[in-house]
Amino acid sequence: MTQENQPAVHDENQIIAERRAKLTEIRQTNNAFPNTFRRDHLTSELFKQFNALSKEQLEEQPTIVKIAGRMVLKRVMGKASFATIQDMSGRIQLYISNDHTGEPVHAAFKHYDLGDILGAQGTLFKTKTGELSIRVTDLQLLTKSLRPLPEKFHGLADQEQKYRQRYLDLITNEETRKVFSIRSKVVQAIREFFVERDYLEVETPMMHSIPGGASARPFSTHHNALDMALFLRIAPELYLKRLVVGGMEKVFEINRNFRNEGISTRHNPEFTMLEFYEAYQDFTYLMDFTEQMLAHVAKQVLGTTHISYQGKTIDLSKPFMRLTITQAIQKFHPDYTTEQLNDRNYLIKKLQALNIHLNPNDGIGGLQLSLFDETTEHLLFEPTFIVDYPAEVSPLARRNDSNPDITDRFELYIAGREIANGFSELNDPEDQAARFQEQAKAKDAGDSEAMHYDADYIRALEYGLPPTAGEGIGIDRLVMLLTDSPSIRDVILFPQLRQED
RNA sequence: GGGUCGUUAGCUCAGCCGGUAGAGCAGCGGACUUUUAAUCCGUUGGUCGCCAGUUCGAUCCUGGCACGACCUACCA
């Protein structure tokens, strides 16, 4: 390590300089970064196993344990000290005194800093207030922390820093640790739910030569060796349905999608999507399936199907409401008559009056959907399936048998947000080809989110896609619901931010 | 993209009518053998986001820029 080769460090301060000096001193006598200490317990295990024992029981049958973790609190009192050590499972208090470690170890401890990573061996005991603690006999500094931690009581409050330096947020904020623990369990519960039902988990390409499966602007990149344009996927849908053609009749994928669009409290450019497909089922089956899955996941992860979101309660155990687009509009805005909602001229005038963006080529269904999006979507707090999506905005969904202008499709709204989108799949290759043509026309006309014509996908359909039901669920938004998080950035470990400095 | 608000010590935050800054925590030194956000005494630490302008003088007023948060629009 030569000073000359190191990049200039701009944020050096007195505290860091002092800690660096301590590290330099340690280097002179010891290995400053030893990797020989092995713990034999996590802190939470110690509480589980031994907290029920009394002070006397612990003294009669001494238990020797080794733990390791980051020192987050420190209280020095002359010839004895207390320190709180945090590991992945929780915290435990160390008692360090000249009597049990000898004076030199305790003296060294006094120079350890908050944030340092320690390994400790000692005997379990209870303090006079009854707190399970470790009476330390051996103490080692495992990793010197050069930078001071955020304020020990308030933790890290600055939102930007919480996102940019998530590790600091995780060290100091138990709520943050809990959110990501729940996120992990949600994904695990979903995976188990599918595996139990004989679904096969698959991974399909993240880089597409033709971005498809959704209406969104893609990120584009380039493959040098092949000298070809590639797009980060906006959805896995068309690949998953190719697998169903191939005979994988129940498949699911939990993975990232990338959309080159706005960033908000509900949108991150890369987000996690569950998509699943099951042959020989339809969209009504999916709605039942979704109700069961969400109730199962909530029960499994939170232990209850009654979740609290931003001060209101949501019950995931009862069947969700099912409303058509116009029924939903009328439920919240009873002044709209059925005649008005089916009158193209009325809808256009109304949308213009409300200053709502509309596509002039839209039919009645598209116009109804625009009105719904603007006036009603955000009011759907209770879990609600919206059905009867117009075919013109559903280029991959099967037409309804009795009304070809609408599709066998639903979207699920909870807490005013779209959580899921599912439908009976369009498996008529000729209809699909015609719909791609329409999308391609729209794209030529300037709609940057319209779909490309995917000839290989049509070829796959021509081999025969069995009647199939398929659905996508936004995992981040589901985790927001289950962790009562107001922003998607709170459930993504490293949300997208502008570049620093 | 539009609007509102914010940026002061490593962290959490004060800072009145414009006179170049304070507290707590953390750090350093000292006291203290059951503390628990330990306590007590002493003490170091600041380009007040950046750049202009107004002014004798700007953390404070004005303009611009950067970054962020929230709301809003497109999208999941």
Side-chain angles (χ1 to χ4, degrees):
Chain A
M1 180 190 95
T2 59
Q3 293 293 329
E4 297 76 39
N5 291 339
Q6 294 201 347
V9 179
H10 299 292
D11 53 356
E12 284 283 351
N13 62 40
Q14 190 191 354
I15 293 176
I16 295 175
E18 263 153 10
R19 290 186 175 207
R20 238 181 245 289
K22 289 179 187 175
L23 175 61
T24 303
E25 205 182 312
I26 295 161
R27 283 186 201 281
Q28 278 155 18
T29 50
N30 294 309
N31 181 348
F33 294 89
N35 188 357
T36 49
F37 183 89
R38 302 288 170 254
R39 64 181 169 191
D40 57 21
H41 285 87
L42 292 177
T43 58
S44 66
E45 289 171 359
L46 295 176
F47 280 90
K48 249 178 239 158
Q49 287 178 41
F50 299 103
N51 202 31
L53 298 182
S54 71
K55 193 175 165 70
E56 292 72 26
Q57 283 170 315
L58 286 168
E59 298 296 342
E60 280 161 24
Q61 290 197 318
T63 308
I64 296 172
V65 298
K66 291 173 86 177
I67 61 108
R70 193 181 294 275
M71 178 163 68
V72 292
L73 290 171
K74 182 187 179 191
R75 297 175 287 279
V76 175
M77 302 171 302
K79 298 186 179 62
S81 299
F82 287 93
T84 301
I85 300 295
Q86 176 171 294
D87 68 13
M88 64 181 278
S89 72
R91 294 177 167 193
I92 196 162
Q93 176 171 263
L94 302 183
Y95 176 69
I96 303 123
S97 73
N98 289 359
D99 295 348
H100 299 95
T101 62
E103 198 271 341
V105 171
H106 187 218
F109 166 80
K110 289 181 187 176
H111 293 284
Y112 294 169
D113 294 296
L114 291 186
D116 285 355
I117 294 170
L118 308 181
Q121 175 167 327
T123 312
L124 286 176
F125 79 108
K126 281 195 172 172
T127 64
K128 64 183 181 189
T129 57
E131 179 173 346
L132 187 68
S133 308
I134 299 172
R135 188 183 290 119
V136 172
T137 51
D138 281 307
L139 187 66
Q140 264 193 72
L141 178 63
L142 302 181
T143 304
K144 183 71 197 163
S145 170
L146 294 177
R147 289 176 181 267
L149 289 180
E151 212 256 0
K152 67 184 176 188
F153 185 61
H154 297 93
L156 191 61
D158 183 72
Q159 270 309 333
E160 178 182 359
Q161 227 181 327
K162 279 164 75 91
Y163 297 148
R164 285 196 196 278
Q165 294 180 268
R166 183 66 89 183
Y167 43 90
L168 282 185
D169 187 26
L170 288 165
I171 290 170
T172 52
N173 194 340
E174 189 183 352
E175 271 307 300
T176 304
R177 292 194 292 274
K178 196 171 163 203
V179 163
F180 291 102
S181 164
I182 290 176
R183 181 175 177 127
S184 170
K185 289 178 178 142
V186 165
V187 172
Q188 196 189 335
I190 290 172
R191 196 163 263 137
E192 283 166 6
F193 189 84
F194 280 101
V195 170
E196 277 166 17
R197 283 159 182 75
D198 295 323
Y199 274 77
L200 203 62
E201 182 169 8
V202 297
E203 291 171 273
T204 62
M206 311 293 280
M207 295 194 291
H208 294 180
S209 51
I210 300 171
S215 299
R217 295 171 62 187
F219 287 93
S220 56
T221 184
H222 181 260
H223 192 285
N224 290 336
L226 298 176
D227 189 22
M228 69 187 278
L230 282 172
F231 301 91
L232 299 188
R233 77 176 187 192
I234 55 176
E237 172 154 355
L238 302 184
Y239 283 93
L240 290 169
K241 285 193 282 198
R242 284 173 170 97
L243 296 180
V244 182
V245 170
M248 291 181 164
E249 293 166 357
K250 292 176 165 192
V251 290
F252 75 103
E253 175 165 9
I254 300 172
N255 222 325
R256 223 68 66 79
N257 288 349
F258 306 86
R259 298 190 184 174
N260 203 341
E261 288 171 349
I263 294 179
S264 76
T265 47
R266 289 173 290 280
H267 301 89
N268 195 63
E270 52 181 303
F271 61 102
T272 301
M273 184 81 127
L274 158 70
E275 282 205 14
F276 61 98
Y277 293 81
E278 179 165 344
Y280 312 110
Q281 295 293 0
D282 72 358
F283 76 121
T284 60
Y285 166 86
L286 289 179
M287 289 191 274
D288 298 341
F289 188 94
T290 303
E291 285 170 356
Q292 286 171 31
M293 175 167 57
L294 294 188
H296 170 84
V297 169
K299 187 90 187 162
Q300 198 75 12
V301 175
L302 304 175
T304 173
T305 52
H306 290 67
I307 62 172
S308 171
Y309 190 72
Q310 305 295 295
K312 292 190 203 166
T313 303
I314 299 170
D315 180 4
L316 294 173
S317 66
K318 59 181 188 196
F320 302 164
M321 273 186 294
R322 299 184 185 192
L323 301 171
T324 66
I325 290 169
T326 52
Q327 281 167 350
I329 293 171
Q330 286 177 309
K331 181 177 158 77
F332 289 94
H333 309 281
D335 38 316
Y336 288 108
T337 67
T338 306
E339 291 70 39
Q340 287 173 332
L341 291 178
N342 286 295
D343 178 342
R344 191 163 187 278
N345 290 329
Y346 174 84
L347 287 171
I348 288 175
K349 253 188 254 163
K350 190 73 196 177
L351 289 170
Q352 283 169 342
L354 292 172
N355 209 11
I356 296 172
H357 173 79
L358 66 96
N359 185 341
N361 300 321
D362 272 1
I364 284 179
L367 296 171
Q368 286 171 345
L369 186 60
S370 295
L371 187 66
F372 166 81
D373 284 346
E374 293 298 322
T375 63
T376 305
E377 179 182 312
H378 62 280
L379 300 172
L380 295 172
F381 195 84
E382 291 292 317
T384 307
F385 289 113
I386 299 296
V387 296
D388 286 5
Y389 276 80
E392 59 195 290
V393 297
S394 313
L396 304 169
R398 184 182 193 281
R399 289 184 201 274
N400 184 269
D401 285 339
S402 52
N403 179 359
D405 291 335
I406 62 172
T407 53
D408 289 341
R409 173 184 173 193
F410 65 86
E411 287 194 356
L412 171 61
Y413 290 88
I414 305 177
R417 289 187 200 125
E418 187 188 337
I419 296 292
N421 175 21
F423 40 86
S424 302
E425 300 300 335
L426 173 57
N427 63 342
D428 174 344
E430 292 173 358
D431 189 0
Q432 184 68 77
R435 300 227 217 148
F436 274 157
Q437 300 281 17
E438 273 172 43
Q439 290 287 313
K441 230 182 283 171
K443 183 166 270 309
D444 288 344
D447 182 351
S448 59
E449 290 177 358
M451 294 182 186
H452 291 77
Y453 190 99
D454 188 332
D456 176 71
Y457 179 67
I458 297 295
R459 178 168 62 182
L461 290 186
E462 285 169 352
Y463 282 97
L465 172 68
T468 297
E471 178 172 343
I473 295 182
I475 296 296
D476 312 278
R477 289 184 180 180
L478 180 60
V479 174
M480 285 170 70
L481 273 181
L482 297 176
T483 57
D484 198 8
S485 299
S487 170
I488 198 168
R489 288 179 207 121
D490 297 326
V491 302
I492 293 176
L493 280 167
F494 298 100
Q496 192 63 50
L497 300 178
R498 224 176 273 266
Q499 205 169 6
E500 216 172 350
D501 76 65

